[in-house]
Amino acid sequence: MKIRTNALAGIALAAAAALGLTACGGSTTPAATGTSSASASDAGSGGITVYNAQHESLTKEWIEAFTAETGIKVTMRQGSDTELSNQIIQEGAASPADVFLTENSPAMTQVETAGLFADVDKATIEQVPAEYRPSTGKWTGIAARSTVLVYDKAKLTEDQLPKSMLDLANPEWKGKWAASPSGADFQAIVSALLELKGEAATEEWLNGMKENFKAYKGNSTAMKAVNAGEVDAALIYHYYYYGDQVKTGENSKNVTPYYFKNQDPGAFVSVSGGGVLKTSKNAEDAQAFLKFVTGKKGQEVLKNGTSFEYAIASDVPANDKLVPLVELQAPTVDAAKLNSEKVTELMTKAGLL
């Protein structure tokens, strides 16, 4: 690793305007955000460029802490999972990206399948438990989020909730639940269902979903609809609830999260990924960044911050407000096998996209 003495000199973060779809239902166009007067052209002279589909504020925290410790400049280019994975593939050998971070695994698998990731350094791999990284070692988990069903406490009691996510396709749930099918978050959940139960069962469930659910754009919007009494429940990720609770709670005061557990497809824990591009001109610094994010200091950003995503590496426990990962009873899913292309095909066939 290259250590520089001017670690904190002139650190400044400049946020860029946002356009286009993100996994969380917001919008961004791939736009550069830099540190220490870094720009995309600086990457070749010692800094690194991170293509970031994770939450912008979370990755900024990682970057600030990493630069403070190492002096390595970082330029961040913000976008959504699929948007940036497609861009990396289109750019190929000409991509300025050194590191790619996502919210969900399928976009990582897409880039891996295109043969564009370098192997992750062994020391980094060893910081992350096997269940939170792909079997291939071409990228690694950096954080995680759990699938939950948030429900209206005034309308439903826990004994009325579905025992399995698959039950949401049954006739008794018609018109009672919501989701945001266009987002990468939900498509990752379907990817896990496909891996766990196969194509026929996934297609059947998607057809039942089409009949039963109400579509909203974005998980926050779906949860807000439950809170407002528009619908009884919504299938989302856990951190939307906890993030709202720590702020005003105005969009979650009437709801509570329900965890399916029992290795159910609805207990899927989605792994956020990080990888180093084969074409990185600063591979040593890029690998150092990934090692930092999965190391103790990087994972403590998750534990102590307000993203409410799960810390998964370096034995750092989750934020105290969260249900511990070990209690979620998540199914075992190899993140390397999540198939976004097949999911898009099946969801389109079912009329969900």
Side-chain angles (χ1 to χ4, degrees), residues 5 15 19 48 58 73 85 129 131 152 163 166 189 210 225 272 284 297 303 320 326 329 333 343 348:
T5 57
L19 298 169
I48 62 171
L58 171 59
K73 298 176 183 179
S85 62
E131 60 265 37
D152 186 334
K163 302 303 181 189
L166 300 180
I189 295 170
K210 174 64 176 175
S272 300
E284 183 180 351
K297 290 183 180 178
K303 179 182 185 295
D320 292 341
V326 69
Q329 301 173 15
V333 179
V343 164
T348 300

Side-chain angles (χ1 to χ4, degrees), residues 238-314:
H238 77 278
Y239 64 86
Y240 293 94
Y241 170 80
Y242 291 99
D244 189 72
Q245 284 282 297
V246 81
K247 295 175 184 175
T248 64
E250 62 183 323
N251 297 319
S252 59
K253 62 184 178 181
N254 299 323
V255 310
T256 195
Y258 169 69
Y259 294 83
F260 288 98
K261 299 187 177 182
N262 300 311
Q263 288 75 51
D264 188 77
F268 169 60
V269 170
S270 181
V271 173
S272 300
V276 173
L277 278 298
K278 270 185 180 179
T279 52
S280 171
K281 296 179 177 60
N282 302 286
E284 183 180 351
D285 290 352
Q287 292 282 1
F289 179 73
L290 202 55
K291 185 179 180 183
F292 177 87
V293 167
T294 57
K296 185 174 176 60
K297 290 183 180 178
Q299 292 295 291
E300 284 178 345
V301 168
L302 290 166
K303 179 182 185 295
N304 301 323
T306 57
S307 71
F308 292 103
E309 294 193 59
Y310 280 98
I312 57 172
S314 297

